[in-house]
Amino acid sequence: MTRRGATLIPGMGLGVVGLYFITPLLATGVFSLWEGGDRYGFAAYGALIHQPKLWQSLGLSVRLAIETILVGLVVLVPAVFWLNLRVQRLRPLFDFLSVLPFVVPPIALVAGMTTLYTGPDWFVGTANYLVVPYVILALPYTYRALDVGMRALDLKTLTEASQSLGAGWLTLIFRVVVPNLTTALIGAALLTIAIVMGEFTFANILLFNTFAVYIDYVGQTSATEASALTLLSFLITWLAMLGVLFTGRSGRGQVQIGGAR
């Protein structure tokens, strides 16, 4: 096979894969512009903009995403730091726990939550309760992002240098480790946003009107508006993925101690 043929075949394969993904999006986009008969326009998008429930559901999902990011990082950053610094023999256990959300179906998780957990109404009775399952769903991605970032650092040297300067454990984590995990933290946050914005099962069963639930509701009443919302959801997810990609490429830098390079 010639060099030109060896290059042409992979290019054709990528083209076929690209068409496989792009064609449904183009069809969805065209359908979202359909106004009946031979008329096309932006009536569906205009109608969505003036619907308060859209902005309420979108705002709720964004708020839950921020809360999920904060809770997940507060729990996992110290845990992954300690794992890589002192208890690496427990790595198989951490790896096993991190992939459990892939094994246990969301419907089983939400059934367990509604059956076994009782708590104050200000928490269980509000949308903040969704943060609990969302942290679990984002666990594999947050853990992997933080673990890769931690393993790229010489934590032992950073710890000894910081403690020799009088830093405590909290100062070490927040003033030394966290500034050197910028890329991993941003990657974990963007992946969490993509997960929360598209999650449907928990919110629907627990009767909270998140962005994904609102898309399903609109899909039962207006097909063109649902197509427009689907494109918006897809755009949010892909922007998050592109953010992870570009952050990973631009995140190579020198180790910092106390904010200085």
Side-chain angles (χ1 to χ4, degrees):
M1 181 181 297
T2 64
R3 180 178 299 179
R4 181 179 178 181
T7 306
L8 182 61
I9 293 177
M12 292 176 61
L14 290 176
V16 172
V17 173
L19 287 174
Y20 178 80
F21 286 102
I22 292 175
T23 301
L25 290 177
L26 292 176
T28 302
V30 172
F31 183 71
S32 69
L33 299 174
W34 183 60
E35 296 180 357
D38 296 330
R39 300 190 309 274
Y40 290 86
F42 295 93
Y45 294 89
L48 286 173
I49 291 175
H50 295 92
Q51 292 187 14
K53 289 185 178 180
L54 167 63
W55 303 109
Q56 293 172 3
S57 63
L58 184 59
L60 175 60
S61 291
V62 171
R63 177 170 66 84
L64 291 174
I66 295 173
E67 294 176 359
T68 302
I69 291 169
L70 293 176
V71 173
L73 293 181
V74 167
V75 172
L76 286 178
V77 168
V80 178
F81 168 74
W82 198 252
L83 167 68
N84 283 274
L85 182 65
R86 293 291 176 83
V87 289
Q88 294 193 27
R89 64 182 182 277
L90 297 180
R91 181 174 299 278
L93 176 61
F94 275 67
D95 292 342
F96 171 75
L97 293 176
S98 70
V99 299
L100 283 180
F102 291 142
V103 179
V104 182
I107 190 65
L109 290 175
V110 73
M113 289 177 59
T114 55
T115 303
L116 300 177
Y117 186 83
T118 57
D121 292 337
W122 60 263
F123 179 60
V124 178
T126 66
N128 293 323
Y129 188 42
L130 290 172
V131 173
V132 176
Y134 286 173
V135 169
I136 296 174
L137 288 180
L139 174 63
Y141 309 97
T142 306
Y143 168 74
R144 290 296 174 184
L146 294 177
D147 188 48
V148 170
M150 293 279 189
R151 296 176 75 172
L153 301 176
D154 188 350
L155 291 180
K156 183 177 181 181
T157 301
L158 286 175
T159 301
E160 293 176 352
S162 300
Q163 291 182 337
S164 67
L165 296 174
W169 287 107
L170 290 178
T171 301
L172 170 63
I173 292 176
F174 290 104
R175 296 286 301 276
V176 178
V177 176
V178 170
N180 288 289
L181 288 176
T182 303
T183 300
L185 294 175
I186 294 176
L190 292 173
L191 289 170
T192 301
I193 291 174
I195 293 169
V196 173
M197 295 301 293
E199 198 285 320
F200 173 78
T201 304
F202 287 101
N204 186 53
I205 293 178
L206 296 176
L207 302 178
F208 294 112
N209 188 33
T210 61
F211 185 57
V213 174
Y214 181 72
I215 292 177
D216 178 70
Y217 166 75
V218 173
Q220 300 175 25
T221 58
S222 176
T224 54
E225 292 180 11
S227 299
L229 279 176
T230 300
L231 289 179
L232 176 60
S233 177
F234 183 84
L235 177 62
I236 293 173
T237 302
W238 271 96
L239 286 177
M241 296 300 101
L242 289 175
V244 173
L245 177 63
F246 287 115
T247 300
R249 288 185 175 181
S250 61
R252 300 182 182 90
Q254 297 178 354
V255 174
Q256 303 179 44
I257 297 182
R261 290 185 181 275

